[in-house]
Amino acid sequence: MRTDMADIGSEETARMDVVYEKERVTIHPTQYGSGRISGKLRLYLQLGSLFLSWEPNEGVNSFSTSSVSAEIEKYRNLYTIQALPLSDVRFIRRHTPTFGLEYIIIVLSSGLAFPPFYFYNGGIRELFATLKQHVFIIRSDDDPNVFLVNDFEDPLQKSLSSLELPGVATVANAMSRQNSFSFTGSVSEVRHGDDAKYGGPSTMSEYVSKQRRKSNDPGRDISFQVLEKFSLVTKFARETTSSLFRENHSSGSHAYGRQKQEYVLDNKASDKYADQLITPDDASLSSDSVERGNPLSVEEWRAFLDPEGRIMDSKALRKKIFYGGVDHVLRKEVWKFLLSYHEYDSTQAEREYLAAMKREEYEAIKSQWKSISTTQAKRFTKFRERKGLIDKDVVRTDRSVPYYEGDDNPNVIVLRDILVTYSFYNFDLGYCQGMSDFLAPILYVMEDESEAFWCFASLMERLGGNFNRDQNGMHAQLLGLSKLVELLDPSLHNYFRQNDCLNYFFCFRWVLIQFKREFSFDQIMLLWEVLWTHYFSEHFHLYLCVGILKRYRLRIIGEGMDFDTLLKFINELSGQINIDRAIQDAEALCTIAGEAGADCIPPGTPPSMPIETDGGLYLQEDDVL
């Protein structure tokens, strides 16, 4: 550990006891998430006083561009904190958004504010626990996220802090609001001042010492643009954190994306409310409802097509659909692309030819079971049982939707015919309960038996694993969900572990039919077309699960729910989930998790295309229906 010679002097060899140490505590000197400097934060005792240090690791983030890397390296030493006495710290502001990285801002008595420190591996709770063992900390009355720091070395501060008098806290709060200085401003001074030009202070510690000496003028720092300065610190932290959500995609200019970032960063929940039970509409979770973009319109759709009908920019199209959905009049055409019935680079003529060929193929497959006589059916047990199960399911599928309601509805007959035909087309997989839930919206949109069949068959190429006898597809998804919760909300995952809920079977229905029972018919069409874009992830539905669980985490933990209670609670959420907010939360979580989130999900996990085996895609035992 290096020490600040100006402060330690000849006692540099004094014993140092490290009481807290955390790796991957990171600063973002630019407003680009890729331009970050990761380092080690330490608290240590020396000569009876507590010191803080932060030392950057060698090299910069490997994802930085050459220009960003050069800029960061140029000022690397500036951000080093070699030996900061806690007696010089006025207060620490703690930020713990529901979604996003936790960070702190340290403000000194001189008015200087260090850059936000982002804790990529957690550890803020342990940091404050350690601080409380060695210094007195008062939580601000005005802002529960501000902690006023008082060092043991000041007897008067120690006495006043121990009394916790309201008057003392009020005075301290006023001082904390006054002693505020923006990091962006301090960096600007160093970069453009004489010291920067002529080899002045090379580290933040030296700069702090210089500011400390300047602060001998009692009027210089205390009243220097006090409110504006602290707002600049907060703005810098907010903009820097916002960039973490933008660095992997370009949706930041979209209204939906902007509101997502505001929700993530301006969440008002804090430790003060940790024991309160919350509802999804609680103001502490979201200050405003999410406004999604407009659905893909006919004019916009036409703009994506070249003169021969090819889609010129499939990624831009998928992005548009992800953020706004599809106008219903276009769904019949657009869903065929999302479900891979048509290729994005196919021409209109090629699609018309394909439709004619596929119609003939469908009729040929359908004729296989239509031609089975009653006598033959008596000797075909599996056919009788599968058809019987389908007959029972279709009359219970979406009957409240006008398209399927009423007795002797011909659309219900078409629904049954498609499912029986599919059981012959994919005889290994056959039919399982839940398939009718996927088909009903597709048939409603297509209004064509052949096209609905092929779109459904294409979807089952990805989701067929949900219905395997061995349930490997479901187990893989629930395992991925477990790892995602562990990554994105370790405390909630630990609660599930302690209550024997780690199998995540309480989310089984969500995953099996992708929230079909949780939303209305119109909402599920919107959600599914968002999922089918695969714009952020093929497994975006798992991030939806995580987001909803996080929404209700305080209630789950606060009520001490065991597995049975949790399962009942999850099922009762049907019709109660805000779909726009759920998509927003999932997007934020997916962006935060990044590659680490993708690594949580085993290869071939639905809806990824299955990994073929010598025995075929869908291994089933003979007695499987």
Side-chain angles (χ1 to χ4, degrees):
M1 169 67 71
R2 295 174 294 175
T3 56
D4 190 328
M5 298 300 294
D7 294 333
I8 303 301
S10 61
E11 297 172 338
E12 61 179 340
T13 59
R15 178 182 176 184
M16 180 189 71
D17 293 324
V18 177
V19 294
Y20 173 88
E21 184 175 273
K22 194 66 180 178
E23 298 279 2
R24 294 196 72 198
V25 178
T26 303
I27 64 171
H28 296 258
T30 69
Q31 292 182 13
Y32 301 96
S34 59
R36 54 180 178 255
I37 303 177
S38 185
K40 181 186 296 183
L41 183 73
R42 280 176 172 166
L43 293 176
Y44 64 93
L45 292 169
Q46 195 167 42
L47 298 176
S49 296
L50 187 66
F51 292 86
L52 179 146
S53 70
W54 181 84
E55 294 188 272
N57 298 331
E58 293 298 325
V60 297
N61 176 27
S62 59
F63 297 101
S64 302
T65 63
S66 57
S67 59
V68 173
S69 298
E71 181 73 7
I72 294 173
E73 285 292 346
K74 182 178 180 181
Y75 297 103
R76 168 174 291 275
N77 290 332
L78 172 65
Y79 304 124
T80 300
I81 304 173
Q82 295 179 343
L84 172 66
L86 264 292
S87 57
D88 285 349
V89 176
R90 183 68 213 132
F91 64 89
I92 301 174
R93 184 174 180 87
R94 175 181 180 179
H95 296 258
T96 55
T98 301
F99 303 118
L101 296 171
E102 293 184 313
Y103 64 94
I104 62 172
I105 297 175
I106 300 173
V107 179
L108 305 180
S109 300
S110 65
L112 176 70
F114 286 106
F117 290 98
Y118 293 83
F119 287 67
Y120 274 71
N121 285 345
I124 286 185
R125 185 183 297 272
E126 294 80 2
L127 172 66
F128 277 86
T130 304
L131 286 172
K132 289 177 182 179
Q133 295 176 10
H134 301 282
V135 297
F136 281 102
I137 296 180
I138 303 175
R139 189 190 293 267
S140 169
D141 290 340
D142 296 332
D143 187 342
N145 293 315
V146 170
F147 295 83
L148 308 174
V149 179
N150 300 272
D151 192 80
F152 276 121
E153 290 185 336
D154 189 333
L156 177 60
Q157 286 187 351
K158 178 177 178 180
S159 300
L160 293 176
S161 299
S162 62
L163 291 175
E164 297 185 357
L165 299 176
V168 174
T170 302
V171 173
N173 292 338
M175 292 182 64
S176 71
R177 289 193 296 271
Q178 290 175 336
N179 292 339
S180 304
F181 195 85
S182 81
F183 171 65
T184 51
S186 66
V187 171
S188 178
E189 277 190 52
V190 175
R191 290 181 179 178
H192 302 296
D194 292 339
D195 288 330
K197 293 180 181 178
Y198 304 112
S202 61
T203 70
M204 187 64 79
S205 295
E206 293 176 28
Y207 183 65
V208 171
S209 299
K210 193 164 186 176
Q211 290 295 318
R212 202 182 298 143
R213 292 192 293 272
K214 288 181 180 180
S215 66
N216 290 333
D217 180 355
R220 183 180 188 280
D221 294 309
I222 299 298
S223 60
F224 183 64
Q225 299 178 356
V226 288
L227 296 178
E228 180 186 3
K229 290 300 184 180
F230 192 76
S231 69
L232 288 174
V233 171
T234 305
K235 182 175 184 292
F236 175 78
R238 181 180 292 112
E239 291 174 349
T240 302
T241 309
S242 297
S243 70
L244 300 179
F245 300 102
R246 297 194 298 265
E247 65 181 47
N248 291 329
H249 59 89
S250 57
S251 61
S253 60
H254 197 285
Y256 177 51
R258 287 199 303 272
Q259 293 203 10
K260 178 267 295 181
Q261 292 160 6
E262 291 171 4
Y263 162 74
V264 171
L265 299 172
D266 294 337
N267 191 292
K268 299 178 181 178
S270 69
D271 291 346
K272 181 177 180 180
Y273 311 105
D275 296 327
Q276 294 183 4
L277 303 183
I278 60 173
T279 64
D281 297 324
D282 196 296
S284 66
L285 287 175
S286 180
S287 57
D288 297 292
S289 60
V290 177
E291 295 181 6
R292 288 177 55 78
N294 295 323
L296 177 72
S297 66
V298 174
E299 293 75 16
E300 290 172 315
W301 168 245
R302 288 173 178 167
F304 278 106
L305 303 176
D306 71 7
E308 293 186 317
R310 298 182 186 88
I311 293 177
M312 296 180 289
D313 190 342
S314 62
K315 184 175 181 180
L317 174 63
R318 291 185 292 112
K319 176 183 176 180
K320 171 62 182 177
I321 296 171
F322 180 90
Y323 283 107
V326 180
D327 191 304
H328 187 70
V329 298
L330 287 172
R331 279 179 171 146
K332 177 180 174 65
E333 191 169 0
V334 176
W335 277 23
K336 296 173 187 176
F337 292 93
L338 295 178
L339 291 169
S340 299
Y341 175 54
H342 290 323
E343 298 295 333
Y344 285 106
D345 60 353
S346 61
T347 65
Q348 180 64 33
E350 290 170 342
R351 295 194 289 270
E352 291 175 358
Y353 175 76
L354 174 68
M357 297 295 293
K358 286 295 186 180
R359 192 175 305 279
E360 291 182 8
E361 185 178 355
Y362 173 74
E363 293 299 333
I365 300 170
K366 182 178 178 179
S367 67
Q368 294 177 13
W369 66 269
K370 278 287 189 178
S371 63
I372 296 176
S373 65
T374 304
T375 303
Q376 186 181 4
K378 290 180 180 179
R379 296 167 175 81
F380 198 164
T381 302
K382 188 164 291 188
F383 168 70
R384 292 198 317 271
E385 291 177 342
R386 284 182 174 177
K387 186 174 180 298
L389 185 58
I390 292 170
D391 286 336
K392 291 178 181 178
D393 279 356
V394 294
V395 298
R396 299 179 296 189
T397 302
D398 292 322
R399 296 308 297 274
S400 62
V401 178
Y403 189 78
Y404 294 109
E405 69 181 1
D407 297 332
D408 301 321
N409 188 319
N411 296 320
V412 176
I413 303 302
V414 174
L415 192 71
R416 181 207 65 184
D417 287 356
I418 293 175
L419 291 170
V420 176
T421 303
Y422 182 77
S423 72
F424 270 71
Y425 171 74
N426 189 346
F427 205 80
D428 285 342
L429 186 59
Y431 175 80
C432 294
Q433 286 181 319
M435 289 184 177
S436 61
D437 284 286
F438 282 113
L439 176 60
I442 294 176
L443 176 59
Y444 170 76
V445 167
M446 296 300 155
E447 295 186 295
D448 180 276
E449 185 172 345
S450 171
E451 291 181 339
F453 170 83
W454 290 112
C455 286
F456 173 74
S458 181
L459 180 62
M460 286 299 103
E461 288 299 304
R462 289 184 171 274
L463 295 180
N466 285 15
F467 304 103
N468 272 349
R469 166 80 173 189
D470 57 15
Q471 293 190 341
N472 278 343
M474 286 299 300
H475 284 304
Q477 290 174 87
L478 294 177
L479 174 62
L481 173 59
S482 173
K483 290 183 177 296
L484 285 175
V485 174
E486 185 177 17
L487 173 70
L488 295 165
D489 195 338
S491 60
L492 181 60
H493 183 78
N494 289 336
Y495 175 83
F496 289 150
R497 175 185 288 111
Q498 294 166 7
N499 289 271
D500 297 325
C501 298
L502 276 187
N503 54 24
Y504 283 79
F505 278 179
F506 49 85
C507 296
F508 194 91
R509 187 175 76 184
W510 288 357
V511 175
L512 179 69
I513 51 178
Q514 298 204 328
F515 299 95
K516 175 68 184 300
R517 307 285 170 83
E518 321 314 317
F519 298 104
S520 68
F521 196 78
D522 288 337
Q523 287 176 326
I524 205 62
M525 288 190 290
L526 170 63
L527 177 61
W528 282 0
E529 61 198 14
V530 167
L531 296 180
W532 295 341
T533 64
H534 300 155
Y535 182 67
F536 276 93
S537 169
E538 288 184 322
H539 304 95
F540 194 75
H541 68 298
L542 297 183
Y543 292 94
L544 278 168
C545 295
V546 180
I548 296 170
L549 291 175
K550 287 179 72 67
R551 274 277 164 189
Y552 292 92
R553 67 187 307 280
L554 295 186
R555 185 170 178 184
I556 291 169
I557 297 173
E559 294 184 6
M561 295 184 186
D562 58 14
F563 179 84
D564 292 337
T565 308
L566 184 57
L567 179 61
K568 181 176 182 293
F569 172 73
I570 293 295
N571 289 339
E572 290 174 350
L573 289 179
S574 177
Q576 306 299 316
I577 301 171
N578 184 310
I579 187 170
D580 289 331
R581 187 181 294 157
I583 294 172
Q584 172 200 26
D585 292 349
E587 179 192 352
L589 289 167
C590 188
T591 307
I592 292 168
E595 292 184 3
D599 291 341
C600 291
I601 303 170
T605 297
S608 295
M609 292 300 291
I611 300 174
E612 296 192 34
T613 64
D614 292 339
L617 292 177
Y618 306 104
L619 295 178
Q620 302 278 41
E621 298 178 11
D622 288 341
D623 61 344
V624 176
L625 300 182

